[in-house]
Structure formats: C-alpha cells, structure tokens
Amino acid sequence: AQGFSVIELLVALSILSLLLGIAAVSLGSLAPKFALDNTVRSVAMALNQGRSQAITRGHTVDVTFATHSYEITDTDDDAVLAADALSTIVAVSAADVVTFTSLGMAAAPTTITVSNDSYSRDVEIGITGEVMIQ
C-alpha cells in the first residue's frame, strides 16, 4: 500500500520530461549571446596582452584583428608575439590596427565591434590604453 503506482510514476516522468524540454529550448536560445560574450572577452584579453607586451618589451606593439582571428606583433622587432582564432559564428569588425606605445598608451582611441546575427557589443580602447567592454 506504500510507494508509488506505475501511473503516478509515468505522470511524474512525463511532467519532468516536459520541463526539461522547455529548459533545453530556453538554453539553446542563449547560445549566440554566450558565444558573443566569450569572443568579446577574447578581444579584450588580446588587447590587454598587446598592451602588456608593449610595456614589458619597451617597444611599439600592434594588435590586428581579422573577422575571425587576431595577431599581436612587435613592430620594432617585426616579430609575431601571439596569434589566435576567434569564434567563427561571431564577426569582429575592426579595420584599424590598434597600436600601443612602449608606455602602454594607444596611438589613437579605437572601437572594435563584435557582433553575430542577434547581438552586438563594443570594445573601446582609450588613448591611455585602457580597454573597456561596453
């Protein structure tokens, strides 16, 4: 007389599977936003790494972005310090090269836009070299 009947178990399992299905659909719609946020953080990290390398080496360092990749170059030694790919479902629009002086200052303030089909975020580099995610 104690315990659950088979019908009670089937009802509970069907309700649980319905709730899990709704949760899966909700999480699936968040994937583009998560990919965008991850790429924005990668862009900011690359810029901070370029700035740090400029200060550490005492050289001018360029950070160049393509649609799905970036490259950090020591312009005084003409050496590539780092390069990596970015997410292919997110596009980075930056026609300009971000140049950091040996003091870590940016040659010019720059805004890099990272976007996908649904969302867009900006990464701003101030004249002092500070990297800000908007």
Short mmCIF file of all heavy atoms in Angstrom, two decimals, residues 29-84:
data_model
loop_
_atom_site.label_atom_id
_atom_site.label_comp_id
_atom_site.label_asym_id
_atom_site.label_seq_id
_atom_site.Cartn_x
_atom_site.Cartn_y
_atom_site.Cartn_z
N SER A 29 18.51 29.07 -26.97
CA SER A 29 18.38 30.42 -27.49
C SER A 29 19.42 31.37 -26.89
O SER A 29 19.66 32.45 -27.43
CB SER A 29 16.97 30.96 -27.21
OG SER A 29 16.75 31.10 -25.82
N LEU A 30 20.05 30.97 -25.80
CA LEU A 30 21.08 31.81 -25.17
C LEU A 30 22.48 31.56 -25.76
O LEU A 30 23.39 32.34 -25.51
CB LEU A 30 21.12 31.55 -23.67
CG LEU A 30 19.91 32.03 -22.88
CD1 LEU A 30 20.04 31.62 -21.43
CD2 LEU A 30 19.73 33.53 -23.00
N ALA A 31 22.65 30.51 -26.55
CA ALA A 31 23.96 30.17 -27.09
C ALA A 31 24.60 31.30 -27.89
O ALA A 31 25.79 31.58 -27.71
CB ALA A 31 23.88 28.90 -27.91
N PRO A 32 23.87 32.01 -28.78
CA PRO A 32 24.51 33.12 -29.50
C PRO A 32 25.03 34.21 -28.58
O PRO A 32 26.08 34.78 -28.82
CB PRO A 32 23.40 33.64 -30.42
CG PRO A 32 22.45 32.51 -30.57
CD PRO A 32 22.52 31.75 -29.27
N LYS A 33 24.31 34.51 -27.51
CA LYS A 33 24.76 35.54 -26.57
C LYS A 33 26.01 35.08 -25.83
O LYS A 33 26.94 35.85 -25.63
CB LYS A 33 23.65 35.86 -25.57
CG LYS A 33 24.02 36.91 -24.57
CD LYS A 33 23.05 38.03 -24.55
CE LYS A 33 23.32 39.04 -23.49
NZ LYS A 33 24.46 39.87 -23.72
N PHE A 34 26.05 33.81 -25.43
CA PHE A 34 27.24 33.28 -24.76
C PHE A 34 28.45 33.31 -25.69
O PHE A 34 29.56 33.65 -25.27
CB PHE A 34 27.00 31.86 -24.26
CG PHE A 34 26.04 31.75 -23.12
CD1 PHE A 34 25.26 30.62 -22.97
CD2 PHE A 34 25.90 32.76 -22.19
CE1 PHE A 34 24.36 30.51 -21.91
CE2 PHE A 34 25.01 32.67 -21.12
CZ PHE A 34 24.25 31.53 -20.99
N ALA A 35 28.28 32.96 -26.95
CA ALA A 35 29.38 32.98 -27.92
C ALA A 35 29.88 34.41 -28.12
O ALA A 35 31.09 34.65 -28.21
CB ALA A 35 28.94 32.38 -29.25
N LEU A 36 28.96 35.37 -28.19
CA LEU A 36 29.34 36.76 -28.34
C LEU A 36 30.13 37.25 -27.13
O LEU A 36 31.19 37.86 -27.28
CB LEU A 36 28.11 37.64 -28.56
CG LEU A 36 28.40 39.12 -28.70
CD1 LEU A 36 28.95 39.42 -30.08
CD2 LEU A 36 27.16 39.93 -28.45
N ASP A 37 29.63 36.95 -25.94
CA ASP A 37 30.33 37.38 -24.72
C ASP A 37 31.72 36.76 -24.62
O ASP A 37 32.67 37.43 -24.22
CB ASP A 37 29.51 37.01 -23.48
CG ASP A 37 28.25 37.86 -23.33
OD1 ASP A 37 28.16 38.92 -23.98
OD2 ASP A 37 27.35 37.45 -22.56
N ASN A 38 31.84 35.51 -25.00
CA ASN A 38 33.15 34.84 -24.97
C ASN A 38 34.12 35.52 -25.94
O ASN A 38 35.29 35.73 -25.62
CB ASN A 38 32.97 33.36 -25.32
CG ASN A 38 34.25 32.59 -25.16
OD1 ASN A 38 35.04 32.85 -24.26
ND2 ASN A 38 34.47 31.64 -26.04
N THR A 39 33.65 35.85 -27.14
CA THR A 39 34.52 36.50 -28.12
C THR A 39 34.90 37.91 -27.68
O THR A 39 36.04 38.34 -27.87
CB THR A 39 33.85 36.52 -29.50
OG1 THR A 39 33.51 35.18 -29.87
CG2 THR A 39 34.76 37.12 -30.55
N VAL A 40 33.96 38.63 -27.08
CA VAL A 40 34.26 39.98 -26.57
C VAL A 40 35.37 39.90 -25.52
O VAL A 40 36.31 40.71 -25.53
CB VAL A 40 32.99 40.65 -26.00
CG1 VAL A 40 33.32 41.87 -25.17
CG2 VAL A 40 32.04 41.02 -27.13
N ARG A 41 35.28 38.93 -24.63
CA ARG A 41 36.33 38.76 -23.61
C ARG A 41 37.67 38.39 -24.26
O ARG A 41 38.73 38.84 -23.81
CB ARG A 41 35.91 37.73 -22.57
CG ARG A 41 34.87 38.26 -21.59
CD ARG A 41 34.66 37.31 -20.42
NE ARG A 41 34.17 36.01 -20.84
CZ ARG A 41 32.89 35.69 -21.05
NH1 ARG A 41 31.97 36.60 -20.87
NH2 ARG A 41 32.54 34.47 -21.40
N SER A 42 37.64 37.58 -25.31
CA SER A 42 38.87 37.21 -26.01
C SER A 42 39.51 38.42 -26.70
O SER A 42 40.73 38.57 -26.69
CB SER A 42 38.59 36.12 -27.06
OG SER A 42 38.19 34.94 -26.44
N VAL A 43 38.69 39.28 -27.28
CA VAL A 43 39.19 40.51 -27.92
C VAL A 43 39.83 41.41 -26.86
O VAL A 43 40.93 41.92 -27.05
CB VAL A 43 38.06 41.23 -28.68
CG1 VAL A 43 38.47 42.64 -29.06
CG2 VAL A 43 37.66 40.44 -29.91
N ALA A 44 39.14 41.59 -25.73
CA ALA A 44 39.69 42.43 -24.66
C ALA A 44 40.99 41.84 -24.11
O ALA A 44 41.94 42.57 -23.83
CB ALA A 44 38.65 42.59 -23.55
N MET A 45 41.04 40.52 -23.98
CA MET A 45 42.25 39.86 -23.50
C MET A 45 43.42 40.08 -24.46
O MET A 45 44.54 40.35 -24.04
CB MET A 45 42.01 38.37 -23.32
CG MET A 45 43.22 37.61 -22.84
SD MET A 45 43.11 35.84 -23.12
CE MET A 45 43.14 35.76 -24.89
N ALA A 46 43.15 39.96 -25.76
CA ALA A 46 44.20 40.17 -26.76
C ALA A 46 44.72 41.60 -26.69
O ALA A 46 45.94 41.83 -26.79
CB ALA A 46 43.67 39.86 -28.16
N LEU A 47 43.83 42.55 -26.52
CA LEU A 47 44.25 43.95 -26.42
C LEU A 47 45.08 44.19 -25.16
O LEU A 47 46.11 44.87 -25.21
CB LEU A 47 43.03 44.87 -26.45
CG LEU A 47 42.32 44.93 -27.80
CD1 LEU A 47 40.93 45.53 -27.65
CD2 LEU A 47 43.15 45.72 -28.80
N ASN A 48 44.64 43.63 -24.04
CA ASN A 48 45.40 43.78 -22.80
C ASN A 48 46.75 43.09 -22.90
O ASN A 48 47.75 43.59 -22.38
CB ASN A 48 44.60 43.25 -21.61
CG ASN A 48 43.53 44.20 -21.16
OD1 ASN A 48 43.74 45.42 -21.15
ND2 ASN A 48 42.37 43.68 -20.80
N GLN A 49 46.80 41.95 -23.58
CA GLN A 49 48.08 41.25 -23.77
C GLN A 49 49.01 42.09 -24.64
O GLN A 49 50.21 42.20 -24.36
CB GLN A 49 47.83 39.90 -24.42
CG GLN A 49 49.10 39.09 -24.59
CD GLN A 49 48.83 37.73 -25.25
OE1 GLN A 49 47.72 37.41 -25.63
NE2 GLN A 49 49.89 36.94 -25.38
N GLY A 50 48.47 42.70 -25.69
CA GLY A 50 49.29 43.57 -26.54
C GLY A 50 49.83 44.75 -25.78
O GLY A 50 51.01 45.11 -25.91
N ARG A 51 49.00 45.35 -24.95
CA ARG A 51 49.44 46.49 -24.13
C ARG A 51 50.53 46.07 -23.15
O ARG A 51 51.55 46.75 -23.00
CB ARG A 51 48.24 47.08 -23.39
CG ARG A 51 48.59 48.27 -22.55
CD ARG A 51 47.36 48.86 -21.90
NE ARG A 51 47.71 50.10 -21.22
CZ ARG A 51 47.27 50.42 -20.03
NH1 ARG A 51 46.44 49.62 -19.38
NH2 ARG A 51 47.64 51.55 -19.47
N SER A 52 50.33 44.92 -22.50
CA SER A 52 51.33 44.42 -21.55
C SER A 52 52.65 44.13 -22.24
O SER A 52 53.73 44.43 -21.70
CB SER A 52 50.82 43.15 -20.87
OG SER A 52 49.70 43.41 -20.09
N GLN A 53 52.59 43.55 -23.43
CA GLN A 53 53.82 43.25 -24.17
C GLN A 53 54.55 44.54 -24.56
O GLN A 53 55.78 44.61 -24.52
CB GLN A 53 53.50 42.43 -25.42
CG GLN A 53 53.12 41.01 -25.14
CD GLN A 53 54.30 40.20 -24.61
OE1 GLN A 53 55.46 40.46 -24.91
NE2 GLN A 53 53.99 39.21 -23.79
N ALA A 54 53.78 45.58 -24.91
CA ALA A 54 54.41 46.85 -25.27
C ALA A 54 55.16 47.44 -24.08
O ALA A 54 56.30 47.91 -24.22
CB ALA A 54 53.34 47.84 -25.76
N ILE A 55 54.55 47.38 -22.92
CA ILE A 55 55.19 47.92 -21.71
C ILE A 55 56.38 47.07 -21.32
O ILE A 55 57.47 47.59 -21.02
CB ILE A 55 54.16 48.00 -20.55
CG1 ILE A 55 53.07 49.02 -20.88
CG2 ILE A 55 54.85 48.35 -19.24
CD1 ILE A 55 51.88 48.97 -19.95
N THR A 56 56.21 45.75 -21.31
CA THR A 56 57.27 44.84 -20.89
C THR A 56 58.49 44.93 -21.81
O THR A 56 59.63 44.99 -21.34
CB THR A 56 56.76 43.39 -20.88
OG1 THR A 56 55.64 43.32 -19.99
CG2 THR A 56 57.83 42.42 -20.43
N ARG A 57 58.26 44.96 -23.10
CA ARG A 57 59.35 44.99 -24.07
C ARG A 57 59.91 46.39 -24.30
O ARG A 57 61.00 46.54 -24.81
CB ARG A 57 58.88 44.41 -25.40
CG ARG A 57 58.57 42.94 -25.35
CD ARG A 57 57.91 42.48 -26.65
NE ARG A 57 57.75 41.06 -26.66
CZ ARG A 57 58.64 40.21 -27.16
NH1 ARG A 57 59.73 40.65 -27.72
NH2 ARG A 57 58.44 38.91 -27.11
N GLY A 58 59.12 47.40 -23.97
CA GLY A 58 59.54 48.77 -24.25
C GLY A 58 59.52 49.07 -25.73
O GLY A 58 60.28 49.91 -26.22
N HIS A 59 58.64 48.37 -26.47
CA HIS A 59 58.52 48.54 -27.93
C HIS A 59 57.09 48.91 -28.30
O HIS A 59 56.18 48.80 -27.50
CB HIS A 59 58.88 47.23 -28.65
CG HIS A 59 60.30 46.83 -28.51
ND1 HIS A 59 60.76 45.59 -28.91
CD2 HIS A 59 61.39 47.47 -28.02
CE1 HIS A 59 62.04 45.49 -28.68
NE2 HIS A 59 62.46 46.62 -28.13
N THR A 60 56.94 49.31 -29.55
CA THR A 60 55.61 49.53 -30.09
C THR A 60 55.03 48.19 -30.52
O THR A 60 55.70 47.40 -31.17
CB THR A 60 55.68 50.49 -31.30
OG1 THR A 60 56.27 51.71 -30.87
CG2 THR A 60 54.30 50.75 -31.86
N VAL A 61 53.77 47.94 -30.12
CA VAL A 61 53.11 46.67 -30.43
C VAL A 61 51.79 46.95 -31.12
O VAL A 61 51.02 47.80 -30.69
CB VAL A 61 52.89 45.84 -29.14
CG1 VAL A 61 52.04 44.61 -29.41
CG2 VAL A 61 54.22 45.43 -28.54
N ASP A 62 51.54 46.21 -32.21
CA ASP A 62 50.28 46.31 -32.95
C ASP A 62 49.42 45.09 -32.66
O ASP A 62 49.92 43.96 -32.62
CB ASP A 62 50.51 46.37 -34.46
CG ASP A 62 51.09 47.69 -34.91
OD1 ASP A 62 51.00 48.68 -34.16
OD2 ASP A 62 51.62 47.75 -36.03
N VAL A 63 48.12 45.33 -32.47
CA VAL A 63 47.15 44.24 -32.36
C VAL A 63 46.23 44.39 -33.57
O VAL A 63 45.54 45.40 -33.71
CB VAL A 63 46.36 44.29 -31.04
CG1 VAL A 63 45.40 43.12 -30.95
CG2 VAL A 63 47.30 44.32 -29.85
N THR A 64 46.24 43.38 -34.44
CA THR A 64 45.47 43.42 -35.67
C THR A 64 44.38 42.37 -35.61
O THR A 64 44.65 41.21 -35.28
CB THR A 64 46.37 43.13 -36.88
OG1 THR A 64 47.49 44.01 -36.84
CG2 THR A 64 45.63 43.33 -38.18
N PHE A 65 43.15 42.77 -35.94
CA PHE A 65 42.02 41.84 -35.94
C PHE A 65 41.54 41.60 -37.35
O PHE A 65 41.43 42.52 -38.16
CB PHE A 65 40.86 42.40 -35.11
CG PHE A 65 41.14 42.42 -33.64
CD1 PHE A 65 41.65 43.56 -33.04
CD2 PHE A 65 40.91 41.31 -32.86
CE1 PHE A 65 41.92 43.58 -31.69
CE2 PHE A 65 41.19 41.32 -31.51
CZ PHE A 65 41.69 42.47 -30.92
N ALA A 66 41.28 40.34 -37.66
CA ALA A 66 40.57 39.96 -38.87
C ALA A 66 39.17 39.55 -38.42
O ALA A 66 38.85 39.62 -37.23
CB ALA A 66 41.28 38.83 -39.58
N THR A 67 38.34 39.11 -39.32
CA THR A 67 36.97 38.76 -38.96
C THR A 67 36.90 37.67 -37.89
O THR A 67 36.09 37.73 -36.99
CB THR A 67 36.19 38.30 -40.21
OG1 THR A 67 36.30 39.32 -41.20
CG2 THR A 67 34.74 38.07 -39.90
N HIS A 68 37.78 36.68 -37.98
CA HIS A 68 37.74 35.56 -37.04
C HIS A 68 39.09 35.24 -36.42
O HIS A 68 39.33 34.11 -36.01
CB HIS A 68 37.20 34.31 -37.74
CG HIS A 68 35.83 34.48 -38.31
ND1 HIS A 68 34.72 34.69 -37.54
CD2 HIS A 68 35.39 34.49 -39.59
CE1 HIS A 68 33.67 34.82 -38.30
NE2 HIS A 68 34.05 34.71 -39.56
N SER A 69 39.99 36.23 -36.33
CA SER A 69 41.30 35.98 -35.73
C SER A 69 41.94 37.30 -35.31
O SER A 69 41.46 38.37 -35.64
CB SER A 69 42.22 35.25 -36.71
OG SER A 69 42.46 36.07 -37.83
N TYR A 70 43.04 37.17 -34.57
CA TYR A 70 43.84 38.34 -34.20
C TYR A 70 45.31 37.98 -34.21
O TYR A 70 45.68 36.81 -34.16
CB TYR A 70 43.43 38.91 -32.84
CG TYR A 70 43.80 38.05 -31.66
CD1 TYR A 70 45.05 38.17 -31.05
CD2 TYR A 70 42.91 37.12 -31.15
CE1 TYR A 70 45.39 37.38 -29.96
CE2 TYR A 70 43.24 36.33 -30.06
CZ TYR A 70 44.48 36.47 -29.47
OH TYR A 70 44.82 35.68 -28.41
N GLU A 71 46.15 39.03 -34.27
CA GLU A 71 47.60 38.84 -34.26
C GLU A 71 48.22 39.99 -33.49
O GLU A 71 47.86 41.15 -33.69
CB GLU A 71 48.13 38.79 -35.68
CG GLU A 71 49.61 38.52 -35.78
CD GLU A 71 50.05 38.38 -37.22
OE1 GLU A 71 49.99 37.25 -37.73
OE2 GLU A 71 50.44 39.40 -37.81
N ILE A 72 49.17 39.67 -32.62
CA ILE A 72 49.90 40.68 -31.85
C ILE A 72 51.33 40.70 -32.37
O ILE A 72 52.00 39.66 -32.37
CB ILE A 72 49.87 40.35 -30.34
CG1 ILE A 72 48.43 40.26 -29.84
CG2 ILE A 72 50.66 41.39 -29.55
CD1 ILE A 72 48.28 39.75 -28.43
N THR A 73 51.78 41.88 -32.82
CA THR A 73 53.08 42.00 -33.47
C THR A 73 53.92 43.08 -32.80
O THR A 73 53.44 44.18 -32.56
CB THR A 73 52.89 42.36 -34.96
OG1 THR A 73 51.98 41.45 -35.54
CG2 THR A 73 54.20 42.31 -35.70
N ASP A 74 55.18 42.74 -32.52
CA ASP A 74 56.16 43.72 -32.05
C ASP A 74 56.70 44.41 -33.30
O ASP A 74 57.42 43.82 -34.09
CB ASP A 74 57.27 43.02 -31.29
CG ASP A 74 58.28 43.99 -30.69
OD1 ASP A 74 58.45 45.11 -31.23
OD2 ASP A 74 58.89 43.63 -29.67
N THR A 75 56.33 45.68 -33.50
CA THR A 75 56.72 46.37 -34.73
C THR A 75 58.20 46.74 -34.75
O THR A 75 58.79 46.85 -35.82
CB THR A 75 55.87 47.63 -34.95
OG1 THR A 75 56.00 48.48 -33.82
CG2 THR A 75 54.42 47.28 -35.15
N ASP A 76 58.83 46.90 -33.58
CA ASP A 76 60.25 47.23 -33.55
C ASP A 76 61.10 46.03 -33.98
O ASP A 76 62.11 46.20 -34.66
CB ASP A 76 60.66 47.69 -32.15
CG ASP A 76 60.00 49.01 -31.77
OD1 ASP A 76 59.47 49.70 -32.67
OD2 ASP A 76 60.01 49.36 -30.57
N ASP A 77 60.71 44.84 -33.54
CA ASP A 77 61.45 43.62 -33.90
C ASP A 77 60.84 42.90 -35.10
O ASP A 77 61.40 41.91 -35.56
CB ASP A 77 61.47 42.64 -32.72
CG ASP A 77 62.34 43.14 -31.58
OD1 ASP A 77 63.18 44.03 -31.83
OD2 ASP A 77 62.17 42.65 -30.45
N ASP A 78 59.69 43.37 -35.57
CA ASP A 78 58.95 42.73 -36.66
C ASP A 78 58.72 41.25 -36.35
O ASP A 78 58.95 40.37 -37.17
CB ASP A 78 59.68 42.89 -38.00
CG ASP A 78 58.75 42.63 -39.17
OD1 ASP A 78 57.54 42.86 -39.02
OD2 ASP A 78 59.24 42.16 -40.22
N ALA A 79 58.26 40.98 -35.11
CA ALA A 79 58.03 39.61 -34.65
C ALA A 79 56.58 39.44 -34.23
O ALA A 79 56.01 40.32 -33.59
CB ALA A 79 58.95 39.29 -33.48
N VAL A 80 56.00 38.31 -34.58
CA VAL A 80 54.65 37.98 -34.14
C VAL A 80 54.74 37.40 -32.73
O VAL A 80 55.41 36.40 -32.51
CB VAL A 80 53.98 36.98 -35.10
CG1 VAL A 80 52.62 36.56 -34.57
CG2 VAL A 80 53.86 37.58 -36.49
N LEU A 81 54.09 38.06 -31.79
CA LEU A 81 54.14 37.63 -30.39
C LEU A 81 53.05 36.62 -30.07
O LEU A 81 53.25 35.74 -29.24
CB LEU A 81 54.02 38.84 -29.47
CG LEU A 81 55.06 39.95 -29.69
CD1 LEU A 81 54.76 41.14 -28.80
CD2 LEU A 81 56.45 39.41 -29.44
N ALA A 82 51.89 36.78 -30.68
CA ALA A 82 50.78 35.86 -30.44
C ALA A 82 49.79 35.98 -31.58
O ALA A 82 49.67 37.04 -32.20
CB ALA A 82 50.10 36.18 -29.12
N ALA A 83 49.10 34.90 -31.84
CA ALA A 83 48.04 34.89 -32.85
C ALA A 83 47.07 33.79 -32.45
O ALA A 83 47.48 32.75 -31.92
CB ALA A 83 48.60 34.64 -34.24
N ASP A 84 45.80 34.02 -32.70
CA ASP A 84 44.82 33.01 -32.35
C ASP A 84 43.55 33.24 -33.15
O ASP A 84 43.31 34.33 -33.67
CB ASP A 84 44.50 33.06 -30.85
CG ASP A 84 43.95 31.74 -30.32
OD1 ASP A 84 43.75 30.80 -31.11
OD2 ASP A 84 43.72 31.65 -29.10
#
